Amino acid sequence: MMKKLVLYLLLLGFLFIWFVPMNIGWRGESSVCKFRFQVFECDWHDYGGNGDFYDWIISTKPKKYGTLVLYDEIGGWQKYFGLKAIDMDKRGRE
């Protein structure tokens, strides 16, 4: 029973990381987002469709995810989990 619970929690954690982008701050005029074990400069908007199936499910570096557009990659999994610092502006965090 305990093994199944741990397995379900790991699966749920992976699905959250894979499908849910998180806005964590600003870098200049661009938002900084954590998404799919990476950190990106990103922007949300209300126009232009939703991307394609490959970007929604499979791609580790999608260009567009719904209304989220991902620009430059800032870092990989080490920055995602906080093992390395992310260069961001301090506004809005004080």
Side-chain angles (χ1 to χ4, degrees):
M1 180 66 180
M2 191 63 151
K3 289 181 183 180
K4 285 185 180 181
L5 179 62
V6 170
L7 182 64
Y8 290 141
L9 290 176
L10 287 173
L11 180 62
L12 183 65
F14 173 78
L15 291 174
F16 182 81
I17 289 170
W18 196 257
F19 289 111
V20 180
M22 294 176 281
N23 186 3
I24 59 169
W26 294 89
R27 186 177 185 191
E29 295 295 320
S30 298
S31 297
V32 176
C33 304
K34 288 183 174 183
F35 188 57
R36 295 194 180 167
F37 299 102
Q38 298 169 59
V39 180
F40 293 95
E41 285 186 2
C42 62
D43 189 21
W44 278 272
H45 55 72
D46 295 334
Y47 55 89
N50 293 325
D52 62 7
F53 179 78
Y54 184 75
D55 282 346
W56 272 92
I57 303 294
I58 300 168
S59 178
T60 58
K61 295 181 184 180
K63 302 272 189 243
K64 187 170 168 97
Y65 185 77
T67 60
L68 173 68
V69 177
L70 300 167
Y71 297 114
D72 295 329
E73 180 183 354
I74 297 171
W77 67 271
Q78 293 163 331
K79 288 188 178 185
Y80 185 93
F81 289 110
L83 301 175
K84 289 186 178 179
I86 302 170
D87 299 328
M88 292 191 307
D89 293 346
K90 297 295 183 200
R91 85 179 151 170
R93 293 188 162 235
E94 298 176 14

